[in-house]
Amino acid sequence: EVQLVESGGGLVQPGGSLRLSCAASGFTVSSNYMSWVRQAPGKGLEWVSVIYSGGTTYYADSVKGRFTISRDNSKNTLYLQMNSLRAEDTSVYYCARAPTERDPYYYMDVWGKGTTVTVSS
Amino acid sequence: EIVLTQSPATLSLSPGERATLSCRASQSVSSYLAWYQQKPGQAPRLLIYDASNRATGIPARFSGSGSGTDFTLTISSLEPEDFVVYYCQQRSSWPWITFGPGTKVDIK
């Protein structure tokens, strides 16, 4: 079964750090575009970061310089290292797959259930 | 950045009625537009991609149309489980993908 399972969320103080994980099953992370998308309480969806199949990474301006996306191919797992966290980073964080080798090309067709990050003192 | 605008913000309809949701892009995205459905407490689910292609397992009552800057999601006959939030998303400018603010379909 194709599945993504996030973990690592929690309560952290402003300025703190957290590392999110997204374990994939049923497909290979490194063969797809893998993104993090977040959703603040009661708000819409915001793209955060992507790692391409070739390893290139990109970030939204709101997190650039603070967040780092990576993957471990041996564990088939995606990560998001979040540093210098701010109250406005409080959100549910979803990982999502965008296939590059078949339809729906480059659209996020598999999502995890999300992990909640709360930044508060 | 390509900005997506969705209208209306809230659509109040009754089960069995037809729903028409709109998404407008600030510049042309060709046909590189998707629609997602999000139920409370759940992750988004891909409904439509490339403006008009239904994703795997999506019922035929969902259809999409449009190109360039104007797009429409149509639900031909609303089922009780369809009264949730819908987002459009463009992938014309990977990696700078953007989402619309969403349309909530609620029961009249």
Side-chain angles (χ1 to χ4, degrees), chain A residues 33 35 37 39 43-47 50 52 58-60 64 94 98 103-109 111-113, chain B residues 31-34 36 38 41-46 48-51 53 87 89 91 94-97 99-101:
Chain A
Y33 286 4
S35 283
V37 176
Q39 187 169 36
K43 303 298 184 183
L45 301 168
E46 179 189 15
W47 171 79
V50 64
Y52 282 178
Y58 294 94
Y59 302 89
K64 194 178 299 183
Y94 297 101
D103 263 346
Y105 289 97
Y106 307 112
Y107 292 99
M108 290 174 280
D109 68 335
W111 295 66
K113 294 184 188 302
Chain B
S31 294
Y32 299 129
L33 189 108
Y36 295 85
Q38 188 177 33
Q42 294 188 18
R45 177 175 71 148
L46 179 66
I48 302 287
Y49 66 95
D50 284 344
N53 295 322
Y87 295 95
Q89 175 243 317
R91 74 149 184 89
W94 263 113
W96 316 118
I97 62 169
F99 292 90

Side-chain angles (χ1 to χ4, degrees), chain A residues 18-108:
Chain A
L18 216 51
R19 189 177 85 154
L20 306 183
S21 300
C22 171
S25 55
F27 72 95
T28 303
V29 161
S30 61
S31 297
N32 296 269
Y33 286 4
M34 296 298 299
S35 283
W36 289 96
V37 176
R38 68 185 180 182
Q39 187 169 36
K43 303 298 184 183
L45 301 168
E46 179 189 15
W47 171 79
V48 172
S49 182
V50 64
I51 183 166
Y52 282 178
S53 47
T56 303
T57 60
Y58 294 94
Y59 302 89
D61 286 345
S62 57
V63 307
K64 194 178 299 183
R66 301 187 298 122
F67 290 11
T68 302
I69 191 171
S70 64
R71 68 187 183 213
D72 184 329
N73 295 344
S74 67
K75 294 183 179 179
N76 209 29
T77 298
L78 178 73
Y79 301 100
L80 186 68
Q81 177 67 44
M82 304 186 296
N83 299 331
S84 303
L85 282 160
R86 306 166 180 165
E88 54 266 35
D89 296 318
T90 295
S91 291
V92 175
Y93 284 75
Y94 297 101
C95 60
R97 173 188 88 170
T100 61
E101 299 175 342
R102 58 165 185 77
D103 263 346
Y105 289 97
Y106 307 112
Y107 292 99
M108 290 174 280

Side-chain angles (χ1 to χ4, degrees), chain B residues 39-92:
Chain B
K39 298 180 178 180
Q42 294 188 18
R45 177 175 71 148
L46 179 66
L47 297 177
I48 302 287
Y49 66 95
D50 284 344
S52 60
N53 295 322
R54 271 191 303 277
T56 302
I58 301 304
R61 66 180 182 274
F62 292 94
S63 63
S65 63
S67 65
T69 60
D70 291 294
F71 300 87
T72 301
L73 173 69
T74 301
I75 310 171
S76 59
S77 178
L78 284 162
E79 296 288 338
E81 62 269 26
D82 299 337
F83 291 90
V84 291
V85 180
Y86 296 85
Y87 295 95
C88 58
Q89 175 243 317
Q90 63 80 22
R91 74 149 184 89
S92 170

Side-chain angles (χ1 to χ4, degrees), chain B residues 20-41:
Chain B
T20 303
L21 288 67
S22 175
C23 177
R24 177 164 289 178
S26 60
Q27 64 188 76
S28 176
V29 298
S30 185
S31 294
Y32 299 129
L33 189 108
W35 291 93
Y36 295 85
Q37 177 191 66
Q38 188 177 33
K39 298 180 178 180

